Amino acid sequence: MPLIYAFDHRHRRPPRELAELLGGKGANLAEMASVLELPVPPGFTIVTTACRRYRDGGWPASLDVELGRHVARLERRAGRRLGDPADPLLVSVRSGARFSMPGMMDTILNLGLNDRSVRALARTTGDEAFAHRSYARLLAMYGRIVMGVEAAAFDEPFEAAKAAEGVDDDARLSPRAWKELCRSHKAAIRAAARKPFPQDPHAQLRGAVEAVLRSWDGARAVAYREREGISHDLGTAVNVQAMVFGNRDDRSGTGVAFTRDAATGEDRPYGDFLVNAQGEDVVAGVRITQPLAALADEFPDQHAELLAIMDRLEAHYRDMLDLEFTIEQDRLWMLQVRVGKRTGVAALRMAVEMTTDPAIRLTRAEAVGRITPDHLDQILHPRLVGDDLEPVATGLAASPGAAVGAVVFTADDAVAGAAEGRSVILVRKETNPEDVHGLLASAGVLTSRGGLVSHAAVVARGWGKPAVVGAAAVEVRERSFAVGDVVVAEGDTISIDGSSGEVIAGAATLVVPEPPPEFDTILSWSDQIRRGKLAVRANADNGPDAARARAFGAEGIGLCRTEHMFLHEDRLPVVRQMILADTPEAEAEALEELRRVQHLDFTEILEAMDGLPVTVRLLDPPLHEFLPKVADLDLKAATGGLSPSEERLRRAAIDWAEENPMLGIRGVRLAVLKPGLYTMQVRALLDAVRDRIEAGGRPDVEVMIPLTVSAAEFELARSWVVEAAEELDITSNLLIGTMVETPRAALVADELARHADFFSMGTNDLTQMTFGFSRDDVEAKMMPAYVERHLLEGDPFHSVDVDGVGDLVRTCVARARAAKRRIPIGVCGEHGGDPASIAFFASAGLDYVSCSPFRVPIARLAAAHAVIAQKEGRLAGANADR
């Protein structure tokens, strides 16, 4: 298979479907060039296969021959030769992975210039400043990216040159200044790299291509992929394209545009452009941009042509698009198009409106598929409130939401502050790809430069981070920033509003906004898609949480942890009284008081969930969790002595202490030793059921026995529930099931299913027991290293491991279904709210998932996505590629 394809190559399939081979950028350039025949500068794509081969064994042997052949073809198309001292062809070399990774890998412009061809460029353009500016930019990019020279070696002379000539705009530097910068840059390269900048353009091209291939494994690219869940094995494509110059003269320019507003979803094109500039100037935020609408004043014909192309592209792709363009001496060129990143609010509005847009006509399933879990997360971003919020500065509202935090000025300081548990806001003149780890760690970002498509804005929107950019009044210093007379030092608290662009000194109040109408529309369509396939319940242990879960669309409670009711300040002493009881009468008295308070809790929950199923898990943790730590009591005994009651607690804590509590006396095992405990809980629950029936309610309860590992064990526990129910004459429609949370329970699911009315997969404990991992001990200390070294595909506590826990889930379902009775099977715990895990659970045939109330909307959407994927025959697995 070839390693290189020209943009205008006629593929058997539409190029935009070949992103895995051509990369996203290359696929879309080929789509514009070969299918839509739009004005695209000629070029070619080195496919992702070449990157994978390079990673495995170095530069592919056949690549030199193919590269030479395609360079020759490009020279014929352009009518110029690379390195020609009379009229040189210049090219750009850019990365282009399957999934968009803005700013994470490297780009080199103006490749092909050298000491001879720069003079030719000056002659053919009649502009010495332009020619040497282009050469200086190549030297700085190539020196930094290919030859490993520190950026400061180029930035400091550049800033000094502007200061010496008293200009802010680099386009106003004199030819003499640019020539001197070229000399300075070459000297810096020779001093730092101990070899000169290569004058042979073909050597330049080989070095640039190799640098882009290498950048796939650069630190910032790896960090971005890990954050976005992108496979490290995909590799990047490399695009080599004839240069067009937006910085040729004042009849030239460059810009970035969106077919719709990426922040609000409004159906209007927007973007930024600069006159006499190259594309990197727009996204880097080094100059103040103009809005796209102003292009009509400078270039009316090209503005009209661009809008027509944007309409055509959006109708072709049936989505909002992000595109890059350049105007060179009044001629419009399209340099890139891709599906645009958008905020959650914008994604919802676009998805709903595109179902009625005659040029697009999304189906409801397609609209639901356009919404990601991150989009819904962003809808609940906090905002600033208060009547006395006086902004000290205002910038561009680049990414919605608000943040309050301590000011930091470097990415490393942001990471350090976040590691200490502090909320931090990263403040910079402008961000660059090296800041990505700081952006990830920060609660928000503020820059004094840049536009709505600058690096900071794009990355912040993609990650749902509040961002204010281009706040020109903010003067960023080394360890402080100033706005007029107001000085904010490192560590001071500020508040930013990424929805309004306001910057406020001090800590404002944050509140969660109301979701837009499209939020409910998309979720209602999601519910229609998944109805009868995969239900969504919530984990809730009290009335307010149950009410909140129902408001978020939960179809019942999948897990009510009754032990949480015991931890209230007024109830813990009663639990301890029960543990310390030394006579049956004293234990019965304590259990009766616990029954009374649990009855009240159950009544609140059943009222909030009236008519919906409520699964109540009987007491699960070991009793020592309700007692003080032995070490704490020993310390008190040594320093000040213990009271008689404390001494009793100490003895009880020693008696109930276990070497391995997770595998000790808990769940049904504890009830075997203290059978009155489960009887009390069942009586409290059924008393609440009776009260709700008398009040005209429709209680629907399910009693779950935790940690059973055999049919005999479950039958014993079931008998306690049945006995209590018969005494209270409440037996109709009472379901009694178990939580499957040990490998053995999964393997004997057929035996358990003969006696249980339902199963709930307890994947948290099932993961611990399958891997032999103690979650509290390994997740923070060991898991990152295991994932980083690919010893595990991912953290199994976040997404179900398909080959480990997933096999047990499938085994459990298959064996349960093989029993004579078909019982409902659900899953609770954190995996129940993880989209990747939900996709797996749908494929495994589970009936419902259960998660925290705030994750219910995410689970509703993810369940719909899983059903859509199954209908389309796509893999619905936890570890599939994005």
Side-chain angles (χ1 to χ4, degrees), residues 554-836:
E555 298 163 290
I557 290 179
L559 177 62
C560 173
R561 302 176 179 91
T562 55
E563 60 270 12
H564 287 187
M565 302 172 181
F566 290 167
L567 298 176
H568 295 185
E569 188 177 355
D570 60 333
R571 300 175 188 183
L572 190 56
V574 183
V575 179
R576 290 176 174 176
Q577 179 185 336
M578 181 267 296
I579 296 172
L580 295 175
D582 50 11
T583 67
E585 293 77 16
E587 182 175 279
E589 181 181 349
L591 287 172
E592 174 58 24
E593 178 58 20
L594 289 175
R595 186 204 63 77
R596 185 187 67 79
V597 295
Q598 285 220 305
H599 167 239
L600 298 176
D601 292 332
F602 289 139
T603 302
E604 280 189 4
I605 292 170
L606 294 177
E607 183 176 2
M609 281 287 165
D610 193 54
L612 297 176
V614 174
T615 303
V616 175
R617 184 180 70 184
L618 302 181
L619 190 68
D620 181 50
L623 288 184
H624 75 82
E625 290 194 9
F626 301 101
L627 296 168
K629 294 185 181 299
V630 175
D632 292 342
L633 292 172
D634 283 347
L635 179 61
K636 187 174 183 182
T639 56
L642 299 176
S643 67
S645 61
E646 289 172 330
E647 182 56 44
R648 292 180 65 204
L649 284 173
R650 178 178 174 277
R651 287 198 300 271
I654 292 172
D655 290 343
W656 286 101
E658 296 175 297
E659 293 295 329
N660 193 340
M662 192 191 78
L663 303 179
I665 303 172
R666 49 172 288 223
V668 68
R669 305 165 191 172
L670 177 61
V672 170
L673 299 183
K674 284 185 173 288
L677 196 54
Y678 276 12
T679 300
M680 173 275 295
Q681 290 192 293
V682 173
R683 287 180 180 274
L685 175 62
L686 298 182
D687 280 344
V689 168
R690 183 177 55 199
D691 289 351
R692 289 299 302 144
I693 292 173
E694 291 175 355
R698 296 175 298 125
D700 181 359
V701 298
E702 303 172 351
V703 178
M704 182 160 63
I705 313 295
L707 213 67
T708 53
V709 294
S710 71
E713 190 179 43
F714 178 77
E715 281 188 279
L716 174 62
R718 182 186 179 98
S719 70
W720 302 328
V721 180
V722 171
E723 182 181 347
E726 288 175 344
E727 286 182 13
L728 295 171
D729 195 24
I730 302 177
T731 56
S732 62
N733 299 323
L734 176 64
L735 300 182
I736 307 170
T738 188
M739 179 175 273
V740 177
E741 46 196 326
T742 69
R744 187 180 195 280
L747 295 175
V748 298
D750 51 342
E751 299 175 20
L752 291 171
R754 296 189 184 98
H755 308 279
D757 299 322
F758 67 89
F759 283 170
S760 181
M761 306 298 301
T763 52
N764 291 345
D765 277 357
L766 191 59
T767 300
Q768 293 195 87
M769 296 189 196
T770 300
F771 283 92
F773 290 158
S774 168
R775 179 174 189 172
D776 293 339
D777 296 317
V778 307
E779 193 163 25
K781 299 175 184 176
M782 185 194 83
M783 200 59 65
Y786 264 57
V787 173
E788 182 180 340
R789 298 179 186 181
H790 304 290
L791 301 177
L792 291 171
E793 288 298 315
D795 185 343
F797 292 109
H798 290 172
S799 288
V800 166
D801 177 81
V802 174
D803 297 325
V805 175
D807 282 342
L808 285 172
V809 171
R810 290 190 187 278
T811 297
C812 176
V813 172
R815 295 196 175 191
R817 299 288 189 243
K820 293 182 179 179
R821 308 161 63 223
R822 189 193 188 286
I823 63 172
I825 303 176
V827 64
C828 57
E830 291 185 22
H831 292 108
D834 170 62

Side-chain angles (χ1 to χ4, degrees), residues 231-245:
S231 171
H232 295 301
D233 297 327
L234 296 177
T236 184
V238 183
N239 297 288
V240 179
Q241 188 173 25
M243 287 291 301
V244 289
F245 293 97

